[in-house]
């Protein structure tokens, strides 16, 4: 049986529909991420689910029971909430804020039992908040406050957790920690989690289902593997320049339009930083010879003026080598990223040797000595500065 269900849900304000026809079906323990540009209605959907905003039409049910029939206290037992609005409780420690998550279970006097305190302590430990316990909540950083509010939601022991942009204000360590926590709550405690995220690259790593929203409509709903594609992201976010690669989670700015003056010999992930550094300086470049499965390929395809590509797991063919040599003849410099030059990569060795014979300057990040003439660098930044001066 479907655990959480919305059917033909319409959300908005004072009869003005913000998002129309929202149909969600979640099993117990699944994680749903709402994804879309700013102002698309993600927060409005979440606030309607938690009844902070009255639905305009449609239904929201848990195990077939409409949430509208639940009292506030019973709803709090079913659903815990972490919103983006900042709270400023006066004279309360972090521990006391977390403890408010137990109030749906206390008696009329609000007295906390030993069992309540056990749950409070476990919730604080889950978010690694022991050091924050006795600090005044108002004195905490935004990231620390977010961790405390997550602990409060965990402490509430509801079947459903609703979170609005929970990774906001968090550095990379705590983003990873938080998503790991939510994943474990889903798997170990069978909690159903509904949240909005801005980080497209994180969604496939955590979500079971995705609701992709554009212009007041559900663009697509389903698993992230089916929903999050390059085409969908470009259309939903109206990317007129630059690109987002959903396979590797890379955002790339538009390539420079200057005629190429440099040829980059890359591969094995050694050249992507070079591509970006050249693009930032407005230096157009050719790139190759890369295999289609190479880690540098996607960035090169986006940023290079031309990428010479070979099929996977084969020796580089003479035709590709000859094509690259023609581009090298037109360049002022060749960058040797330090890629391996043996095995199926031997063709790139032929390119560097050719550049040396043609008198084209070779700037190299290679550690070992080479048989061709080159100028060695120990950092990309110093090499790029030299290219700027040279060109």
């Amino acid at each position: 049986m479907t655990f959480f269900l919305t059917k033909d849900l319409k959300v908005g304000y004072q009869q003005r529909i913000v998002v129309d026809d929202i149909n969600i079906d979640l099993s117990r323990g699944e994680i749903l991420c709402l994804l879309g540009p700013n102002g698309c209605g993600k927060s409005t959907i979440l606030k309607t689910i938690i009844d902070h905003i009255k639905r305009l039409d449609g239904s929201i049910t848990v195990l077939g029971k409409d949430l509208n029939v639940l009292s506030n206290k019973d709803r709090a037992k079913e659903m815990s909430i972490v919103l983006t609005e900042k709270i400023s409780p006066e004279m309360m420690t972090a521990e006391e804020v977390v403890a408010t998550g137990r109030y749906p279970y206390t008696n009329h006097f609000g007295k906390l039992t030993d069992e309540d305190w056990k749950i409070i302590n476990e919730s604080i430990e889950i978010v690694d908040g022991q050091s924050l316990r006795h600090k005044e909540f108002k004195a905490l950083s935004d990231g620390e406050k977010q961790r405390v509010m997550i602990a409060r939601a965990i402490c509430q022991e509801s079947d459903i957790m609703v979170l609005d942009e929970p990774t906001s204000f968090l550095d990379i360590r705590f983003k990873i920690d938080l998503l790991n926590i939510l994943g474990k709550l889903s798997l170990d405690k069978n909690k159903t989690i509904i949240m909005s995220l801005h980080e497209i690259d994180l969604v496939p790593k955590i979500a079971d289902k995705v609701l992709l929203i554009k212009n007041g409509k559900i663009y697509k709903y389903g698993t992230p593997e089916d929903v999050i594609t390059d085409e969908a992201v470009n259309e939903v976010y109206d990317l007129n320049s630059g690109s987002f690669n959903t396979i590797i989670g890379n955002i790339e700015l538009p390539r420079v339009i200057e005629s190429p003056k440099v040829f980059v010999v890359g591969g094995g992930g050694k050249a992507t930083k070079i591509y970006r550094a050249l693009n930032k300086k407005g230096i157009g470049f050719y790139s190759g010879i890369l295999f289609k499965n190479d880690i540098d390929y996607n960035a090169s395809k986006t940023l290079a003026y031309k990428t010479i590509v070979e099929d996977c797991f084969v020796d580089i063919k003479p035709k590709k080598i000859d094509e690259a040599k023609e581009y090298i003849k037109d360049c002022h410099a060749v960058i040797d990223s330090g890629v391996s030059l043996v095995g199926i990569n031997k063709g790139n060795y032929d390119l560097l040797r050719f550049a040396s014979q043609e008198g084209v300057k070779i700037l190299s990040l290679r550690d070992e000595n080479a048989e061709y003439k080159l100028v060695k660098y120990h950092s990309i930044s110093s090499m790029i500065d030299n290219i700027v001066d040279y060109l």
Side-chain angles (χ1 to χ4, degrees):
M1 182 179 182
T2 299
F3 175 66
F4 178 87
L5 181 72
T6 69
K7 188 173 182 180
D8 300 331
L9 181 65
K10 293 178 174 58
V11 303
Y13 303 89
Q14 298 178 345
Q15 301 305 311
R16 182 180 68 84
I17 296 174
V18 174
V19 187
D20 201 0
D21 293 329
I22 307 161
N23 292 285
I24 299 168
D25 58 294
L26 298 175
S27 300
R28 189 185 289 273
E30 284 193 312
I31 297 178
L32 167 67
C33 283
L34 277 57
L35 197 58
N38 287 337
C40 72
K42 299 187 296 293
S43 294
T44 305
I45 293 173
L46 294 180
K47 289 178 181 178
T48 303
I49 288 173
I50 63 178
D51 203 36
H52 282 200
I53 300 172
K54 295 299 179 185
R55 72 187 81 157
L56 300 182
D57 200 2
S59 62
I60 306 172
T61 59
V62 177
L63 289 175
K65 182 182 292 185
D66 196 301
L67 288 180
N68 270 355
V69 306
L70 299 178
S71 67
N72 289 337
K73 191 167 186 176
D74 287 338
R75 181 187 286 268
K77 292 178 181 178
E78 288 285 351
M79 193 175 289
S80 57
I81 304 160
V82 179
L83 297 180
T84 51
E85 285 89 346
K86 297 177 182 177
I87 65 169
S88 298
E90 296 293 336
M91 305 298 291
M92 290 183 71
T93 65
E95 180 183 74
E96 289 169 336
V97 172
V98 174
T100 61
R102 296 305 301 162
Y103 287 167
Y105 304 92
T106 58
N107 58 28
H108 293 296
F109 300 101
K111 183 176 175 57
L112 296 171
T113 65
D114 290 342
E115 180 63 21
D116 288 325
W117 279 109
K118 178 184 176 183
I119 294 168
I120 292 165
N121 292 332
E122 288 176 350
S123 301
I124 291 172
E125 288 176 5
I126 286 173
V127 301
D128 194 22
Q130 296 92 325
S131 63
L132 309 176
R133 182 186 296 270
H134 301 299
K135 293 183 179 180
E136 185 179 359
F137 182 82
K138 288 181 67 175
L140 300 179
S141 69
D142 286 336
E144 289 170 336
K145 287 178 180 177
Q146 189 75 308
R147 287 160 60 197
V148 171
M149 295 307 294
I150 297 294
R152 181 186 182 278
I154 295 170
C155 181
Q156 201 168 320
E157 288 198 311
S158 56
D159 291 326
I160 302 169
M161 290 180 65
V162 179
L163 307 99
D164 192 6
E165 299 176 17
T167 54
S168 298
F169 317 118
L170 299 183
D171 62 31
I172 187 168
R173 173 197 164 189
F174 289 114
K175 281 183 193 287
I176 294 170
D177 286 349
L178 172 60
L179 294 181
N180 189 43
I181 288 165
L182 295 176
K184 287 183 176 179
L185 289 171
S186 166
L187 290 173
D188 299 343
K189 296 186 178 295
N190 217 23
K191 287 190 181 296
T192 301
I193 297 171
I194 303 171
M195 62 179 169
S196 59
L197 286 179
H198 272 303
E199 300 92 338
I200 302 173
D201 57 315
L202 295 180
V203 173
K205 300 173 176 66
I206 186 69
D208 298 297
K209 299 280 184 65
V210 178
L211 193 71
L212 194 55
I213 309 161
K214 181 185 181 182
N215 296 335
K217 299 291 183 183
I218 304 306
Y219 180 86
K220 211 166 185 181
Y221 171 71
T223 65
E225 294 78 18
D226 293 332
V227 170
I228 302 177
T229 64
D230 293 355
E231 295 75 19
V233 171
N234 287 335
E235 186 169 341
V236 167
Y237 287 89
D238 293 322
L239 298 184
N240 298 317
S241 61
S243 67
F244 180 84
N245 186 288
T246 55
I247 301 299
I248 55 178
N250 276 354
I251 296 171
E252 302 294 353
L253 299 181
R255 73 163 62 95
V256 298
I257 59 175
E258 294 294 325
S259 297
K261 300 176 182 178
V262 176
F263 191 103
V264 181
V265 178
K270 292 182 176 291
T272 295
K273 291 180 180 179
I274 298 171
Y275 303 151
R276 291 170 180 160
L278 289 169
N279 202 59
K280 281 189 293 185
K281 294 294 185 180
I283 301 172
F285 63 92
Y286 299 110
S287 172
I289 299 169
L290 298 174
F291 299 100
K292 290 180 180 178
N293 63 339
D294 195 280
I295 194 170
D296 285 329
Y297 172 67
N298 286 290
S300 178
K301 187 174 64 172
T302 301
L303 298 177
Y305 187 87
K306 170 72 176 179
T307 301
I308 298 94
V309 184
E310 184 56 276
D311 291 332
C312 309
F313 310 117
V314 298
D315 292 330
I316 296 174
K317 298 181 182 67
K319 181 180 178 181
K320 298 292 184 180
I321 297 172
D322 291 341
E323 181 183 359
K325 286 179 178 179
E326 291 301 312
Y327 290 126
I328 288 174
K329 288 179 183 178
D330 292 335
C331 290
H332 299 297
V334 169
I335 294 178
D336 171 16
S337 67
V339 63
S340 171
L341 300 176
V342 298
I344 60 175
N345 255 329
K346 185 179 180 298
N348 281 327
Y349 169 75
D350 294 339
L351 292 186
L352 293 168
R353 189 174 57 179
F354 171 80
S356 179
Q357 292 169 349
E358 290 289 310
V360 179
K361 187 174 183 179
I362 300 175
L363 296 82
S364 178
L365 293 169
R366 189 170 300 281
D367 293 328
E368 69 272 14
N369 293 324
E371 298 176 14
Y372 45 85
K373 186 178 179 181
L374 53 80
V375 180
K376 278 193 175 185
Y377 291 87
H378 297 292
S379 73
I380 293 174
S381 59
S382 60
M383 181 179 66
I384 298 299
D385 288 342
N386 185 269
I387 289 177
V388 172
D389 294 339
Y390 179 66
L391 296 180

